Amino acid sequence: MDARLKVRNTKSIVFKSIIIFLAFVITIPLIIILLYIIKQGVTQVNWHFLTHVPAPVGETGGGISNALLGSIIIVALSSLIAIPTGILTGIYLSENATTRLAYYAGLCVDILQGVPSIVVGMVVYFWIVKPLGTFSALSGSVALAIMMLPIVIRSTEQTLKLLPDSLKEAALSLGVPYHRVILKVIVPCGFAGILSGIMLSVARIVGETAPLLFTAFGNPYLSAAITKPMQSLPLLIFNYATSPYDEWHNLAWGASFILLMFVLLLNIFTKLITRKWNIQL
Amino acid sequence: MEHSVISASNFNAWFGDNHAVKDVSIKIEKNQVIAVMGPSGCGKTTFLRCINRMHELVPGARTEGMLKLYADDIYTMNPIYVRYKIGMVFQRPNPFPNLSIYDNVVAGYKLNGLKIPKVEMDHIVEKSLTSAALWNEVKDSLHKKGTFLSGGQQQRLCIARAIAMEPEVILFDEPTSALDPISTSSIEALFHELKANYTLIIVTHNMQQAARVSDKTAFFYLGELVEFDNTRQMFTAPKDKRTQNYITGRFS
Ligand SMILES: Nc1ncnc2c1ncn2[C@@H]1O[C@H](COP(=O)(O)OP(=O)(O)O)[C@@H](O)[C@H]1O
Ligand SMILES: [Mg+2]
């Protein structure tokens, strides 16, 4: 009896050790990657770096202001397109879950989520870039908005579905019309969940390169015109990291560092928001 | 002739093919407390939700027959107006978790976008919370979220929310079944106060509660209104065999 207990105990200790060891093995490369990006990038970042366009080959200095501004504009534009449509679709799916339209819409959302980003880029290329005859920030934003949509839709839908019916009934029993119940009660109560979905979707697209390659295309100069080609952080990294020049590699490392910090901050923000604004039901 | 506050004649309600309320006729007088009793699934909640037109929100639900608020046909009135005039308190306390205690009380105004001067709003809040016997407990924390309150306090907050709209009738669907005995007795005490200004219709499973708080009792069985009489009469000498069986505990 005693011996068997001992065997079991040993087994459980061995098992635990293996799990801890594996967790380490998996975490270590991640940490190494993070540290490496920080080490390569952090020394590049200063005010000059953030406010100047890349220097031509052979000159020192230069920065990533064009990519930074471009990323901000493109992501803002995609959010403008994807957030309202995504939230509305999410509300529809959670409110009318049993309808045929909701079923097919849900199916489309799932499929959309699985479409490779390069394919989204190609579709937008044929739909917008070719007819307009030029690469543009706008087309890049449309491509990224398509990538954002499924995340915003699903997170809105799932958040709202978790709210109890009693909440809606309380409002309806006070004579509040249906559309106001949705806008004034249901959406505010699901605010934290919807917002964290939005943040996740932004974090997801800010580093997307493939759909921008043949939509926003890139631009070595500072530009804020949404109908013209525009630079973005991931495009800059892609172009400069594959160049043969050391200065350009350094720019790419700096841009990677900025991108990494942005995503990190976004994730921390999301955590804080869900904790602070989570509604106690 | 004075009209009854609520009167139903040959009123029926369905969920799809399920005939949940059958041919109910009843007259409910002003400033009375009516207890609605009967075994589970006999249509008490459904009947209650027909009175403020919440029943029709369920897909496939329909109704037939006449239901009046004073002289007006409830089913030709604007449902929004019906719900202003006929408040409802639910089984589980359901204050709005995103609103403060203050805003919960005036939710009927705020959520409907009705603009009211601040002074008047303050007055409504104090008056409603006082009527709901909650003012003293929350007057220093009006701007805290309503969900920080205990279950019994939350239920009284929901009562205050209904009162704030100055309704004619307040419907209660098993308002104490989710509460502890102390909260329950404070809500029961409240019914006595409220009946001076409102007509109360209370669904309850608790016979002692019905006996304690109500003037009249309606007994439902399988969707029918079997008996409607003074509570004392009903509990001492029920006319119908089914009522008798129910109050002697032969089925629940
Ligand atoms: N939302 C609903 N959809 C379909 N049928 C329902 C719904 N709510 C209640 N019913 C049915 O209506 C009948 C009456 O239910 P209910 O009024 O809730 O009874 P009670 O409140 O007396 O327990 C029952 O047969 C029940 O199954
Ligand atoms: Mg019920």
Side-chain angles (χ1 to χ4, degrees):
Chain A
M1 197 62 201
D2 221 27
R4 256 161 77 185
L5 250 179
K6 223 175 222 162
V7 172
R8 276 202 204 171
N9 259 335
T10 335
K11 265 189 194 165
S12 121
I13 288 170
V14 169
F15 188 67
K16 239 187 195 162
S17 321
I18 291 176
I19 288 180
I20 292 172
F21 174 74
L22 286 177
F24 251 119
V25 169
I26 290 164
T27 330
I28 285 171
L30 289 178
I31 292 174
I32 291 176
I33 290 172
L34 281 182
L35 289 179
Y36 190 66
I37 296 173
I38 292 171
K39 177 179 155 279
Q40 297 286 334
V42 76
T43 50
Q44 305 299 322
V45 179
N46 52 42
W47 187 242
H48 180 89
F49 179 80
L50 295 177
T51 52
H52 285 76
V53 295
V57 183
E59 288 179 29
T60 53
I64 58 162
S65 66
N66 57 340
L68 208 53
L69 180 71
S71 267
I72 291 170
I73 291 175
I74 290 173
V75 168
L77 213 53
S78 334
S79 303
L80 214 60
I81 301 169
I83 292 172
T85 23
I87 291 180
L88 287 176
T89 313
I91 292 173
Y92 177 80
L93 292 185
S94 100
E95 286 293 307
N96 306 278
T98 54
T99 59
R100 190 177 291 249
L101 178 58
Y103 174 77
Y104 287 110
L107 211 61
C108 290
V109 170
D110 284 343
I111 293 169
L112 198 57
Q113 191 140 37
V115 175
S117 57
I118 187 103
V119 176
V120 172
M122 189 178 76
V123 170
V124 172
Y125 175 78
F126 281 104
W127 280 5
I128 300 182
V129 176
K130 285 204 99 177
L132 290 185
T134 171
F135 295 111
S136 64
L138 184 66
S139 58
S141 298
V142 170
L144 293 188
I146 294 173
M147 313 275 321
M148 277 176 88
L149 265 177
I151 306 175
V152 178
I153 292 173
R154 280 300 183 207
S155 68
T156 306
E157 180 196 0
Q158 245 112 52
T159 305
L160 299 189
K161 269 192 178 155
L162 284 179
L163 296 176
D165 283 343
S166 64
L167 211 57
K168 211 192 296 171
E169 301 232 295
L172 289 168
S173 77
L174 290 167
V176 182
Y178 181 74
H179 71 277
R180 291 190 78 98
V181 175
I182 299 298
L183 292 178
K184 301 272 167 176
V185 178
I186 300 299
V187 171
C189 286
F191 186 69
I194 295 174
L195 195 61
S196 74
I198 290 172
M199 302 275 242
L200 274 180
S201 70
V202 170
R204 165 91 173 73
I205 58 147
V206 72
E208 273 295 344
T209 322
L212 294 181
L213 285 174
F214 36 123
T215 52
F217 189 71
N219 186 338
Y221 305 106
L222 193 64
S223 161
I226 60 170
T227 52
K228 298 271 160 58
M230 195 180 272
Q231 188 62 297
S232 86
L233 289 172
L235 281 178
L236 178 136
I237 295 169
F238 175 77
N239 288 327
Y240 286 37
T242 50
S243 76
Y245 314 111
D246 274 346
E247 283 91 358
W248 284 16
H249 294 166
N250 288 338
L251 281 185
W253 279 119
S256 306
F257 174 74
I258 300 276
L259 208 51
L260 179 74
M261 286 300 123
F262 179 74
V263 173
L264 207 66
L265 284 179
L266 212 55
N267 276 301
I268 292 172
F269 256 139
T270 311
K271 287 243 161 63
L272 288 179
I273 282 169
T274 27
R275 207 171 301 157
K276 183 150 189 327
W277 283 337
N278 215 358
I279 299 257
Q280 219 67 51
L281 287 171
Chain B
M1 192 196 102
E2 179 94 355
H3 285 284
S4 306
V5 181
I6 296 287
S7 51
S9 44
N10 304 104
F11 192 83
N12 292 275
W14 288 264
F15 289 101
D17 297 331
N18 183 356
H19 196 173
V21 173
K22 297 174 187 158
D23 236 15
V24 169
S25 298
I26 194 171
K27 279 184 175 7
I28 292 170
E29 305 304 330
K30 202 169 163 58
N31 297 356
Q32 287 207 321
V33 179
I34 309 300
V36 177
M37 303 197 66
S40 293
C42 69
K44 306 180 296 292
T45 299
T46 308
F47 181 63
L48 213 61
R49 291 167 60 92
C50 288
I51 299 178
N52 70 346
R53 295 193 53 176
M54 294 281 284
H55 176 65
E56 68 203 48
L57 300 172
V58 178
R62 72 197 164 86
T63 61
E64 217 177 85
M66 185 65 93
L67 197 52
K68 285 182 174 173
L69 174 67
Y70 295 111
D72 302 320
D73 181 353
I74 287 176
Y75 278 80
T76 59
M77 286 159 83
N78 184 340
I80 302 226
Y81 182 72
V82 172
R83 292 174 205 147
Y84 283 171
K85 289 286 144 200
I86 305 176
M88 188 166 209
V89 174
F90 297 81
Q91 185 164 0
R92 298 207 155 269
N94 55 359
F96 297 111
N98 57 326
L99 300 183
S100 65
I101 293 175
Y102 185 102
D103 285 342
N104 259 290
V105 177
V106 287
Y109 298 94
K110 290 216 162 164
L111 296 180
N112 278 302
L114 305 174
K115 296 270 178 290
I116 288 182
K118 173 95 169 65
V119 208
E120 203 175 315
M121 198 86 103
D122 289 347
H123 177 70
I124 293 175
V125 169
E126 176 167 357
K127 188 164 154 261
S128 310
L129 285 173
T130 309
S131 303
L134 191 60
W135 176 251
N136 286 327
E137 290 159 63
V138 302
K139 63 170 184 273
D140 298 322
S141 46
L142 288 176
H143 296 284
K144 276 197 190 151
K145 294 262 181 287
T147 33
F148 283 120
L149 300 173
S150 73
Q153 288 174 320
Q154 288 190 17
Q155 194 64 306
R156 276 179 282 150
L157 179 58
C158 294
I159 295 174
R161 180 173 71 189
I163 294 172
M165 300 303 286
E166 298 278 343
E168 295 289 333
V169 181
I170 308 177
L171 310 171
F172 294 85
D173 191 2
E174 303 188 36
T176 60
S177 63
L179 303 181
D180 61 272
I182 293 175
S183 310
T184 299
S185 62
S186 73
I187 300 238
E188 284 182 12
L190 194 54
F191 293 146
H192 284 291
E193 310 282 327
L194 290 176
K195 85 182 218 193
N197 296 310
Y198 309 96
T199 305
L200 312 180
I201 306 178
I202 303 167
V203 171
T204 175
H205 264 300
N206 181 329
M207 272 182 258
Q208 285 79 23
Q209 182 169 66
R212 277 194 299 265
V213 304
S214 68
D215 302 303
K216 288 184 133 190
T217 297
F219 178 70
F220 276 74
Y221 188 68
L222 297 179
E224 287 176 60
L225 174 61
V226 168
E227 198 166 343
F228 180 51
D229 211 335
N230 290 326
T231 299
R232 181 178 307 241
Q233 172 75 25
M234 189 97 127
F235 278 92
T236 49
K239 294 197 187 74
D240 195 286
K241 189 85 186 140
R242 289 166 292 184
T243 320
Q244 200 175 352
N245 285 342
Y246 183 72
I247 60 184
T248 53
R250 233 159 289 169
F251 51 72
S252 57

